[in-house]
Amino acid sequence: MQTLQRVLILAARLACLPSPTAALLEGWSAWRNWYNVDMPRHHRPVLAITVIGYTLGLLAWFVLWLLVGDRLWWLALLNTAALALFLPLPLLAVVVLMRHRWRLLMVLSLPVWLFAYLYGLRFLPHTRPTISAAAPRLTAMTFNILYRNHDTQAVTTAIAAVQPDLLGLQEVTPAHARWFAETFAADYPYMVFRVDEPEAGVALLSRYPIMQVTRFALPPRNLALHAVVDVAGTPLHVLVVHLSPNRALRTLSPDIAPVAREYYQLKATEVQLVLAELREVQGPHLVLCDCNLTETSAAYAQLAAVVQDSFQEAGWGLGLTSQGPGLPLRVQRIDYIWHSPDLVIETAYVGPAAGSDHRSVVAHLRLSAKR
C-alpha cells in the first residue's frame, strides 16, 4: 500500500509539470531519492540470491552449450534463444549499482564476460581488407518479404535505397512474382522464381546474366534454388534458401518435446543438404538465406565451418532481423548472407523491414583476385 501511495503521489506531481523535459527530470530525481532509501535488511539476501542464482544458471547453460550443444531438446531451445538469457543482466546491474553492492557487481561481471565472448566482437571496429581496386564490386541483399505483405511501396523503397546487384527473396507468392516481374524488369533484367511449392517460394533478381539455374532438393519444403551468375566474366554461384521455421518455440507443453526433437533433426538434415550442394561448387559462391537459426545453434556452427557469415565479419551490433509474433521489437538474427573465402566483404548491415516481420541483410563485397 505504501508503494502504491508513492507511485500515485509521483504521478500527480509529474502531471502538474509544464513540459515533458521537466517531468522527466523530476521523475528521475524522485526515483533516485526513493530508490536510495536504505534497503531493509530482510530484503538484502533476496538481491544476493537473485544475482548469484542468475549468474550460476547462465554459467551452467554456457558449459552445457560448449559440451552438449543441441543434443538435448530443451538445451537446443535455450541455445536458440540464448540472447534472451542476457535480458535480465542490465536490470540487475542497475539495481546492484544503485544499492552499492560491489561484491554482487563483481559476480555480475561473469555474465558480462559471457556476453562479450558471444557478441562482443561485433561492437568493435572492423579492419577493412586490402584488395585490388580492379576487383569487381557488387552488393548482395537477402530479404524475407513475408507472404502476406502487400505494402509494395515500402518494398520498392527498401530495394531502391540499397540498389543491390543480387537480390535473394524468401516467402514470395505467385502474386509477388508477377509484381516483381512487372515492376523491376528494367532494373533487374534477369530473374528466376521458385514459387510453385505449397509454401511461399524463393526468387533471385540479378543485374548480371543468370547463366544456369537448378532447383536442388531441400525437403520437406524445397525452398531453394541454385543460380550461376556471370559477374564480369567470373561465374558466381548464388544459392537462395529458406530453411524451416522453429515451430517448437510456439508450441505449448506437453507437445513441445517431440516437436523440438523433430525440428532440430530436420534443421540438421536441411543444413547438410545445403552443404552438400556447396561441395559441388567450384569457384566463389554466396548463400542468401532465411536460415531460421541463431548463431548459438549447432546448425550455425556446421554452416560456419564451410562458409563465412558476412554480418559477423563486417557488420556492427547485434544485427537482429526477426520480429517475434506479437512483439514490437526484433529478437533474433536468423537471416544471413554467407560467402566463400574468395569473396571479400567490405561492409554488411541490416536493412529496413518494409512491411515484413523480417529485416533485410545487405553486404557490399568484392571478388577477390585469389580464385
Side-chain angles (χ1 to χ4, degrees):
M1 181 61 70
Q2 187 178 12
T3 300
L4 179 61
Q5 290 175 348
R6 288 180 174 178
V7 171
L8 292 175
I9 293 171
L10 178 58
R13 289 175 61 186
L14 296 179
C16 297
L17 292 173
S19 71
T21 303
L24 181 62
L25 294 174
E26 176 69 17
W28 170 249
S29 176
W31 184 81
R32 286 191 61 189
N33 292 336
W34 177 15
Y35 195 81
N36 283 326
V37 174
D38 287 339
M39 178 183 286
R41 288 187 177 276
H42 63 278
H43 286 172
R44 293 180 183 178
V46 174
L47 180 59
I49 291 171
T50 301
V51 169
I52 294 172
Y54 169 73
T55 301
L56 290 177
L58 203 57
L59 287 173
W61 163 77
F62 182 71
V63 172
L64 287 173
W65 174 67
L66 290 176
L67 298 179
V68 181
D70 286 353
R71 291 193 292 274
L72 301 174
W73 69 266
W74 56 268
L75 182 59
L77 288 175
L78 285 178
N79 296 342
T80 298
L83 186 60
L85 301 179
F86 293 93
L87 289 178
L89 180 57
L91 178 60
L92 288 175
V94 168
V95 173
V96 168
L97 281 170
M98 296 299 292
R99 293 300 182 185
H100 307 294
R101 305 290 297 276
W102 308 122
R103 292 182 179 178
L104 293 182
L105 192 63
M106 293 179 63
V107 173
L108 283 179
S109 67
L110 291 174
V112 171
W113 180 88
L114 291 182
F115 181 87
Y117 175 83
L118 293 171
Y119 307 104
L121 288 178
R122 279 192 266 129
F123 292 90
L124 298 177
H126 294 282
T127 302
R128 291 199 175 189
T130 302
I131 189 170
S132 169
R137 171 183 287 171
L138 66 152
T139 299
M141 180 179 183
T142 184
F143 188 17
N144 181 327
I145 60 174
L146 184 62
Y147 68 94
R148 62 175 183 271
N149 186 1
H150 303 295
D151 194 347
T152 55
Q153 182 57 51
V155 173
T156 301
T157 301
I159 295 173
V162 176
Q163 295 187 349
D165 301 298
L166 298 169
L167 172 59
L169 299 168
Q170 298 87 26
E171 294 200 21
V172 181
T173 65
H176 285 139
R178 291 190 295 271
W179 176 75
F180 275 107
E182 295 170 359
T183 306
F184 293 95
D187 294 323
Y188 298 97
Y190 308 98
M191 301 184 186
V192 58
F193 297 92
R194 184 171 186 175
V195 296
D196 53 352
E197 300 293 336
E199 304 264 358
V202 294
L204 175 66
L205 280 61
S206 174
R207 298 186 190 275
Y208 297 100
I210 297 177
M211 302 185 295
Q212 180 182 342
V213 179
T214 57
R215 298 182 170 193
F216 67 93
L218 192 64
R221 305 197 306 164
N222 291 312
L223 300 180
L225 60 84
H226 179 174
V228 182
V229 180
D230 183 359
V231 179
T234 298
L236 173 65
H237 294 257
V238 182
L239 276 62
V240 183
V241 177
H242 189 182
L243 302 184
S244 298
N246 192 346
R247 306 296 185 193
L249 294 176
R250 307 178 189 180
T251 303
L252 299 177
S253 57
D255 296 329
I256 186 170
V259 171
R261 291 191 187 99
E262 181 182 1
Y263 166 75
Y264 287 106
Q265 181 58 50
L266 171 62
K267 182 66 65 177
T269 301
E270 288 181 323
V271 167
Q272 289 306 313
L273 289 172
V274 172
L275 294 178
E277 186 73 13
L278 290 176
R279 280 193 286 270
E280 301 299 321
V281 170
Q282 300 293 326
H285 47 274
L286 284 173
V287 182
L288 309 178
C289 182
D290 174 2
C291 290
N292 277 308
L293 55 85
T294 59
E295 58 203 289
T296 44
S297 66
Y300 177 95
Q302 292 166 359
L303 281 166
V306 177
V307 283
Q308 296 171 223
D309 178 355
S310 297
F311 189 88
Q312 176 83 347
E313 187 177 349
W316 190 92
L318 293 175
L320 304 178
T321 61
S322 173
Q323 185 170 317
L327 298 177
L329 302 173
R330 288 169 283 156
V331 293
Q332 290 183 317
R333 185 167 80 97
I334 62 176
D335 300 89
Y336 300 87
I337 296 178
W338 301 92
H339 69 94
S340 57
D342 42 11
L343 291 170
V344 178
I345 304 299
E346 295 183 320
T347 58
Y349 59 91
V350 174
S356 175
D357 57 348
H358 287 245
R359 296 293 183 99
S360 60
V361 179
V362 180
H364 300 287
L365 52 98
R366 285 180 181 267
L367 288 172
S368 170
K370 298 178 181 180
R371 296 196 293 271

